[in-house]
Structure formats: structure tokens, C-alpha cells
Amino acid sequence: MISRGRWWAQAPCHADRRQRAPGPPEYFTRSGGWLRYETSEPTPEGRVMKIGIIGAGNIGGNLTRRLTTLGHDVSVANSRGPQTLTDLAAETGATPVTVEEAARGAQVVVVTIPLKAVPNLPSGFLDSAAEGVAVIDTGNYYPQQRDGKIAEIEDGLTESRWTEQQIGHPVIKAFNGTYAQDILDKPQPKGTPGRVALPVSGDDEDAKKVVRDLIDAIGFDTVDTGGQDESWRQQPGTPVYGLASDTDAVRKALDSASRERTAEWLA
């Protein structure tokens, strides 16, 4: 996960920081001293969804901000417990919960934690989710910078395929190459020329549609990368990683990717 903030230097997204939500002036109104993002865009299929977010760092925090402004019922959890999420809850209206509770009744669950922490997720944490839950994986393998060596990934398994094996459920890979601040800064109405597109991969076509519709409502186009065995095209070090551009540019970046990891992204 890439993070970038207007009010702090670029840094790994594991750092929790409360932040205001800047963006196009026409989309903001002042409320309680904070700039709050507001939108008239409909939620996917015109329905409010119950969404669980596991991880409240830069990506998880800004997804919480964006999804609550769209009217979704968001529960958010982190490894330190719900008592550490009171500021985010007060700002957004999201419900702070334990990791074990985050998926309860959820139609969408976002797993946005360091890859090395994925095996520590509670066994069966998705058992209480809604039938057909779509699980979004935002993770990246940072062996030198954070995660240490994961042998299966070093041997060629894609990051999200490895995550699927750890949690026992298919995932949709999305937001892994997105700057966290872009989630707040760059949403645009559907059909806007140059609208930023995000790559999305996964094997479950129904779940992928749910996620792509949700991303569309958040304010971005999407490009289908293919199944999880093709998700290496959006891993760190590839041309699309960190790219904030339109669908044509994203497709070209995906097509030009090389499967071979560079030394920076190997243990």
C-alpha cells in the first residue's frame, strides 16, 4: 500500500495519522471544523452495504472516511483494539470493533494490514460475514522494508494468492498501488475525462463486480487485471504501481509489466 499525505512526507502506510480530507472545493462543506467529503453519487446498485475494514492505517482510514460519506455502514478494526479508534469513529461515524467482529454481517470486507500480519488474523474471522462476501486485499509484499522473507512469494506465488491461502477465502486485489491520499483527493464523477482508474484482479467474477461497482461509486474507474495468477501485474515495482491515470494508461502499464521482481522487492 502506498501512502502520501498533503500534510506530511511520503511514508509507509502502516503509520496511523488523523487527517483532514482535502479535495475539489465544489465537493466539500465545512462541518465541525473538519473538511468533510460529500457526494451525491449513488452507492453500488443504489443500496447501502455493511462493510468491515480490518486495518486503520492510511489506506484503511481513508477508505473508512470515503465509504462512510457514501452512506455505507462501516465497521473498522485494528490490531490495537477499538479503544484506539475513537477519533476515527467520531470523525466518520464508523463503528470501532475488534478484528473478530469486523466481518460480522458484512457484504464487503477490506483486509488492509501488513502482509506479515495476515497469518495472525483470527481463524474463521470471515465465518460471520454475509453469504458471498467480497474480500478486498490491499496488501503488498515488502520483504526488505517490512515483511521479511515469505518463501512462497519469493518462489513466484502472487501476493494475493498467498493471502487467499492464509485466510481460506478468495480475494479481490485492489487499492494496493493507490496513494492513500488519492482516495480523498482524486474521486471524480463517472464519465469525467481523465478519471483515475484502479487495477482490480480476482477469480470470483461476482465478487469482482461488487468491488468494481464500489470503486466506481467511490469515484474511480477500474481496469480488470484478470485472475489472481495475473495480479503480479499490479505488484510493487510494476509500471502501474502508484500510477494515477486513466484507463488507457493503466491498461498500457499492465500490459508492459514484467513478472520478474527487481532486487528492491526481493528478500
Side-chain angles (χ1 to χ4, degrees):
M1 294 163 281
I2 306 173
S3 61
R4 177 180 63 193
R6 183 171 292 174
W7 289 283
W8 58 82
Q10 184 169 331
C13 71
H14 58 264
D16 278 338
R17 290 181 175 87
R18 184 171 174 172
Q19 61 197 60
R20 288 182 289 180
E26 64 268 25
Y27 290 122
F28 290 87
T29 60
R30 289 196 173 273
S31 174
W34 289 86
L35 284 171
R36 296 297 304 279
Y37 193 94
E38 295 183 352
T39 179
S40 59
E41 300 166 37
T43 56
E45 300 177 4
R47 62 192 173 99
V48 171
M49 291 193 291
K50 184 167 177 53
I51 299 174
I53 298 179
I54 299 174
N58 289 340
I59 293 287
N62 282 354
L63 283 174
T64 298
R65 293 177 176 94
R66 190 69 181 98
L67 291 167
T68 51
T69 63
L70 291 173
H72 293 294
D73 179 5
V74 178
S75 296
V76 60
N78 66 9
S79 61
R80 295 177 296 146
Q83 72 280 0
T84 66
L85 296 170
T86 53
D87 284 351
L88 182 62
E91 177 192 341
T92 64
T95 303
V97 295
T98 65
V99 174
E100 290 84 354
E101 296 169 325
R104 186 172 297 165
Q107 287 112 350
V108 175
V109 173
V110 183
V111 177
T112 180
I113 61 176
L115 216 64
K116 66 179 181 179
V118 169
N120 299 326
L121 288 169
S123 178
F125 74 99
L126 292 170
D127 290 351
S128 62
E131 184 177 357
V133 60
V135 180
I136 300 175
D137 168 34
T138 76
N140 291 309
Y141 179 45
Y142 298 135
Q144 299 175 36
Q145 301 87 347
R146 181 190 66 193
D147 297 316
K149 183 177 181 178
I150 298 176
E152 297 92 335
I153 297 176
E154 293 280 334
D155 290 341
L157 192 67
T158 63
E159 298 160 356
S160 286
R161 187 69 80 195
W162 181 85
T163 296
E164 289 180 338
Q165 293 179 358
Q166 305 309 305
I167 69 174
H169 195 281
V171 302
I172 305 301
K173 189 177 187 75
F175 297 106
N176 72 292
T178 306
Y179 285 101
Q181 195 63 36
D182 287 354
I183 294 170
L184 302 180
D185 284 355
K186 297 191 181 299
Q188 294 177 304
K190 187 172 183 175
T192 301
R195 192 188 198 206
V196 172
L198 307 184
V200 178
S201 66
D203 300 327
D204 185 331
E205 293 299 326
D206 290 338
K208 189 187 289 185
K209 183 179 187 308
V210 169
V211 173
R212 295 183 73 181
D213 286 348
L214 184 63
I215 293 172
D216 181 41
I218 289 173
F220 300 94
D221 288 336
T222 57
V223 175
D224 191 341
T225 307
Q228 258 352 331
D229 291 334
E230 292 295 311
S231 63
W232 56 268
R233 295 182 182 276
Q234 62 193 82
Q235 290 174 173
T238 61
V240 81
Y241 180 76
L243 179 66
S245 194
D246 62 13
T247 55
D248 288 342
V250 168
R251 288 192 184 101
K252 289 177 183 177
L254 291 167
D255 289 343
S256 66
S258 170
R259 184 154 193 165
E260 184 178 356
R261 290 179 181 270
T262 60
E264 181 183 3
W265 306 109
L266 291 170

PDB file of all heavy atoms in Angstrom, residues 60-75:
ATOM      1  N   GLY A  60      -6.706   2.117   5.110  1.00  0.00           N
ATOM      2  CA  GLY A  60      -7.923   1.760   5.834  1.00  0.00           C
ATOM      3  C   GLY A  60      -8.656   2.959   6.383  1.00  0.00           C
ATOM      4  O   GLY A  60      -9.889   3.041   6.321  1.00  0.00           O
ATOM      5  N   GLY A  61      -7.907   3.919   6.902  1.00  0.00           N
ATOM      6  CA  GLY A  61      -8.537   5.119   7.442  1.00  0.00           C
ATOM      7  C   GLY A  61      -9.238   5.933   6.372  1.00  0.00           C
ATOM      8  O   GLY A  61     -10.370   6.401   6.567  1.00  0.00           O
ATOM      9  N   ASN A  62      -8.592   6.101   5.227  1.00  0.00           N
ATOM     10  CA  ASN A  62      -9.209   6.908   4.175  1.00  0.00           C
ATOM     11  C   ASN A  62     -10.344   6.178   3.476  1.00  0.00           C
ATOM     12  O   ASN A  62     -11.309   6.811   3.022  1.00  0.00           O
ATOM     13  CB  ASN A  62      -8.158   7.376   3.177  1.00  0.00           C
ATOM     14  CG  ASN A  62      -7.352   8.547   3.730  1.00  0.00           C
ATOM     15  OD1 ASN A  62      -7.656   9.067   4.797  1.00  0.00           O
ATOM     16  ND2 ASN A  62      -6.322   8.953   3.011  1.00  0.00           N
ATOM     17  N   LEU A  63     -10.280   4.858   3.386  1.00  0.00           N
ATOM     18  CA  LEU A  63     -11.443   4.122   2.895  1.00  0.00           C
ATOM     19  C   LEU A  63     -12.611   4.252   3.869  1.00  0.00           C
ATOM     20  O   LEU A  63     -13.769   4.377   3.452  1.00  0.00           O
ATOM     21  CB  LEU A  63     -11.097   2.647   2.675  1.00  0.00           C
ATOM     22  CG  LEU A  63     -10.297   2.345   1.410  1.00  0.00           C
ATOM     23  CD1 LEU A  63      -9.902   0.879   1.374  1.00  0.00           C
ATOM     24  CD2 LEU A  63     -11.097   2.713   0.152  1.00  0.00           C
ATOM     25  N   THR A  64     -12.312   4.248   5.148  1.00  0.00           N
ATOM     26  CA  THR A  64     -13.370   4.477   6.140  1.00  0.00           C
ATOM     27  C   THR A  64     -14.002   5.842   5.926  1.00  0.00           C
ATOM     28  O   THR A  64     -15.245   5.986   5.913  1.00  0.00           O
ATOM     29  CB  THR A  64     -12.797   4.382   7.563  1.00  0.00           C
ATOM     30  OG1 THR A  64     -12.275   3.063   7.779  1.00  0.00           O
ATOM     31  CG2 THR A  64     -13.859   4.670   8.611  1.00  0.00           C
ATOM     32  N   ARG A  65     -13.194   6.850   5.728  1.00  0.00           N
ATOM     33  CA  ARG A  65     -13.718   8.208   5.503  1.00  0.00           C
ATOM     34  C   ARG A  65     -14.586   8.267   4.250  1.00  0.00           C
ATOM     35  O   ARG A  65     -15.684   8.829   4.256  1.00  0.00           O
ATOM     36  CB  ARG A  65     -12.550   9.202   5.401  1.00  0.00           C
ATOM     37  CG  ARG A  65     -11.796   9.375   6.701  1.00  0.00           C
ATOM     38  CD  ARG A  65     -10.589  10.312   6.554  1.00  0.00           C
ATOM     39  NE  ARG A  65      -9.975  10.515   7.853  1.00  0.00           N
ATOM     40  CZ  ARG A  65      -8.956   9.800   8.321  1.00  0.00           C
ATOM     41  NH1 ARG A  65      -8.401   8.857   7.577  1.00  0.00           N
ATOM     42  NH2 ARG A  65      -8.480  10.043   9.528  1.00  0.00           N
ATOM     43  N   ARG A  66     -14.073   7.685   3.185  1.00  0.00           N
ATOM     44  CA  ARG A  66     -14.779   7.793   1.901  1.00  0.00           C
ATOM     45  C   ARG A  66     -16.063   6.974   1.899  1.00  0.00           C
ATOM     46  O   ARG A  66     -17.102   7.412   1.399  1.00  0.00           O
ATOM     47  CB  ARG A  66     -13.830   7.335   0.785  1.00  0.00           C
ATOM     48  CG  ARG A  66     -14.355   7.623  -0.613  1.00  0.00           C
ATOM     49  CD  ARG A  66     -14.387   9.109  -0.922  1.00  0.00           C
ATOM     50  NE  ARG A  66     -14.918   9.347  -2.262  1.00  0.00           N
ATOM     51  CZ  ARG A  66     -16.159   9.683  -2.517  1.00  0.00           C
ATOM     52  NH1 ARG A  66     -17.024   9.836  -1.518  1.00  0.00           N
ATOM     53  NH2 ARG A  66     -16.561   9.882  -3.758  1.00  0.00           N
ATOM     54  N   LEU A  67     -16.012   5.778   2.442  1.00  0.00           N
ATOM     55  CA  LEU A  67     -17.182   4.893   2.396  1.00  0.00           C
ATOM     56  C   LEU A  67     -18.295   5.369   3.320  1.00  0.00           C
ATOM     57  O   LEU A  67     -19.475   5.207   3.011  1.00  0.00           O
ATOM     58  CB  LEU A  67     -16.766   3.465   2.737  1.00  0.00           C
ATOM     59  CG  LEU A  67     -15.899   2.786   1.669  1.00  0.00           C
ATOM     60  CD1 LEU A  67     -15.277   1.510   2.216  1.00  0.00           C
ATOM     61  CD2 LEU A  67     -16.706   2.490   0.410  1.00  0.00           C
ATOM     62  N   THR A  68     -17.941   5.961   4.445  1.00  0.00           N
ATOM     63  CA  THR A  68     -18.992   6.489   5.318  1.00  0.00           C
ATOM     64  C   THR A  68     -19.682   7.685   4.683  1.00  0.00           C
ATOM     65  O   THR A  68     -20.894   7.863   4.852  1.00  0.00           O
ATOM     66  CB  THR A  68     -18.432   6.873   6.700  1.00  0.00           C
ATOM     67  OG1 THR A  68     -17.287   7.726   6.541  1.00  0.00           O
ATOM     68  CG2 THR A  68     -18.046   5.640   7.502  1.00  0.00           C
ATOM     69  N   THR A  69     -18.933   8.508   3.932  1.00  0.00           N
ATOM     70  CA  THR A  69     -19.589   9.642   3.277  1.00  0.00           C
ATOM     71  C   THR A  69     -20.548   9.171   2.189  1.00  0.00           C
ATOM     72  O   THR A  69     -21.483   9.898   1.833  1.00  0.00           O
ATOM     73  CB  THR A  69     -18.568  10.611   2.650  1.00  0.00           C
ATOM     74  OG1 THR A  69     -17.833   9.949   1.635  1.00  0.00           O
ATOM     75  CG2 THR A  69     -17.615  11.154   3.683  1.00  0.00           C
ATOM     76  N   LEU A  70     -20.347   7.965   1.672  1.00  0.00           N
ATOM     77  CA  LEU A  70     -21.265   7.406   0.681  1.00  0.00           C
ATOM     78  C   LEU A  70     -22.474   6.745   1.336  1.00  0.00           C
ATOM     79  O   LEU A  70     -23.348   6.240   0.645  1.00  0.00           O
ATOM     80  CB  LEU A  70     -20.532   6.385  -0.195  1.00  0.00           C
ATOM     81  CG  LEU A  70     -19.471   6.958  -1.138  1.00  0.00           C
ATOM     82  CD1 LEU A  70     -18.723   5.827  -1.817  1.00  0.00           C
ATOM     83  CD2 LEU A  70     -20.101   7.869  -2.178  1.00  0.00           C
ATOM     84  N   GLY A  71     -22.509   6.729   2.655  1.00  0.00           N
ATOM     85  CA  GLY A  71     -23.674   6.215   3.356  1.00  0.00           C
ATOM     86  C   GLY A  71     -23.597   4.764   3.773  1.00  0.00           C
ATOM     87  O   GLY A  71     -24.572   4.219   4.295  1.00  0.00           O
ATOM     88  N   HIS A  72     -22.441   4.120   3.549  1.00  0.00           N
ATOM     89  CA  HIS A  72     -22.321   2.711   3.924  1.00  0.00           C
ATOM     90  C   HIS A  72     -22.164   2.559   5.431  1.00  0.00           C
ATOM     91  O   HIS A  72     -21.665   3.455   6.123  1.00  0.00           O
ATOM     92  CB  HIS A  72     -21.144   2.067   3.199  1.00  0.00           C
ATOM     93  CG  HIS A  72     -21.338   1.964   1.725  1.00  0.00           C
ATOM     94  ND1 HIS A  72     -22.296   1.159   1.163  1.00  0.00           N
ATOM     95  CD2 HIS A  72     -20.704   2.582   0.682  1.00  0.00           C
ATOM     96  CE1 HIS A  72     -22.244   1.266  -0.162  1.00  0.00           C
ATOM     97  NE2 HIS A  72     -21.297   2.133  -0.471  1.00  0.00           N
ATOM     98  N   ASP A  73     -22.580   1.416   5.931  1.00  0.00           N
ATOM     99  CA  ASP A  73     -22.459   1.057   7.343  1.00  0.00           C
ATOM    100  C   ASP A  73     -21.093   0.410   7.530  1.00  0.00           C
ATOM    101  O   ASP A  73     -20.900  -0.762   7.175  1.00  0.00           O
ATOM    102  CB  ASP A  73     -23.586   0.090   7.709  1.00  0.00           C
ATOM    103  CG  ASP A  73     -23.532  -0.365   9.156  1.00  0.00           C
ATOM    104  OD1 ASP A  73     -22.676   0.125   9.916  1.00  0.00           O
ATOM    105  OD2 ASP A  73     -24.353  -1.235   9.525  1.00  0.00           O
ATOM    106  N   VAL A  74     -20.152   1.168   8.069  1.00  0.00           N
ATOM    107  CA  VAL A  74     -18.757   0.732   8.124  1.00  0.00           C
ATOM    108  C   VAL A  74     -18.362   0.396   9.563  1.00  0.00           C
ATOM    109  O   VAL A  74     -18.550   1.200  10.476  1.00  0.00           O
ATOM    110  CB  VAL A  74     -17.824   1.817   7.572  1.00  0.00           C
ATOM    111  CG1 VAL A  74     -16.362   1.380   7.687  1.00  0.00           C
ATOM    112  CG2 VAL A  74     -18.167   2.130   6.116  1.00  0.00           C
ATOM    113  N   SER A  75     -17.795  -0.800   9.726  1.00  0.00           N
ATOM    114  CA  SER A  75     -17.130  -1.178  10.965  1.00  0.00           C
ATOM    115  C   SER A  75     -15.636  -1.237  10.695  1.00  0.00           C
ATOM    116  O   SER A  75     -15.209  -1.719   9.640  1.00  0.00           O
ATOM    117  CB  SER A  75     -17.624  -2.546  11.448  1.00  0.00           C
ATOM    118  OG  SER A  75     -18.998  -2.500  11.784  1.00  0.00           O
TER     119      SER A  75
END
